[in-house]
Amino acid sequence: MSQRTFRFRLRSSHRPPERSTTDLVVEFLSDSGLWEPQQLSLSMPGFRIYLISLLLCQHFYLVANAREKGIALQQVQADFKVTTSTDWIIDHVDGDFRIRLDHDASANEEAIAYMQERMKLCPISKNLPDSVGKTINVTTMA
């Protein structure tokens, strides 16, 4: 069975004191092999909008749960891959989220695991069928 693969990457900054998301960039790996910045528009394919929504929902939950745990995020980088059947049915979602913390901040493994688990509660993720494989990883960058 043939598959389709959709790849995205994300970068965002989170400056004190509010830690609000700034400088958010989402890019899509086009068929030509080039990363293209994504700006939502009515001319964008609807399925791509759906996948970007899934990525942004994961990001939102990561940032919100870091704030809840008092983790001083400085930056988030993510690689996001969605594999579908040829009929556009999602088979698997892989998200690799890397967080950079303030120089004097830290996050223990328990807090990282908590954030990672909470990201699965994003409403868009929760609405994916149970048959869809979901792998979401959160790690810290040096």
Side-chain angles (χ1 to χ4, degrees):
M1 181 165 107
S2 188
Q3 295 181 318
R4 299 174 195 268
T5 301
F6 301 88
R7 294 183 187 272
F8 297 87
R9 63 185 182 190
L10 175 146
R11 289 183 316 276
S12 64
S13 298
H14 307 271
R15 294 185 183 94
E18 302 86 20
R19 301 284 174 195
S20 300
T21 299
T22 59
D23 305 321
L24 177 65
V25 175
V26 174
E27 296 174 304
F28 173 70
L29 185 60
S30 69
D31 291 338
S32 67
L34 299 174
W35 288 100
E36 299 176 352
Q38 298 297 285
Q39 297 295 324
L40 299 180
S41 69
L42 294 175
S43 62
M44 180 179 280
F47 191 70
R48 190 178 312 164
I49 292 172
Y50 174 72
L51 297 180
I52 291 170
S53 297
L54 177 58
L55 170 58
L56 291 176
C57 190
Q58 296 294 312
H59 177 264
F60 175 81
Y61 268 61
L62 171 63
V63 173
N65 286 292
R67 187 176 296 135
E68 178 182 310
K69 285 292 190 182
I71 297 172
L73 282 182
Q74 187 181 78
Q75 184 182 44
V76 175
Q77 294 179 8
D79 292 307
F80 202 70
K81 180 174 88 171
V82 178
T83 307
T84 73
S85 68
T86 55
D87 296 342
W88 303 85
I89 304 301
I90 296 175
D91 291 327
H92 206 274
V93 174
D94 290 297
D96 179 26
F97 290 80
R98 296 165 309 282
I99 58 175
R100 177 169 285 127
L101 307 178
D102 280 357
H103 299 292
D104 59 348
S106 65
N108 62 34
E109 287 182 28
E110 184 179 305
I112 298 286
Y114 172 83
M115 291 188 307
Q116 192 169 283
E117 200 56 37
R118 291 289 300 236
M119 289 169 72
K120 295 176 186 173
L121 299 177
C122 148
I124 299 172
S125 293
K126 284 181 68 170
N127 278 291
L128 291 171
D130 291 337
S131 62
V132 174
K134 300 170 202 118
T135 305
I136 302 296
N137 294 306
V138 177
T139 56
T140 55
M141 295 185 283

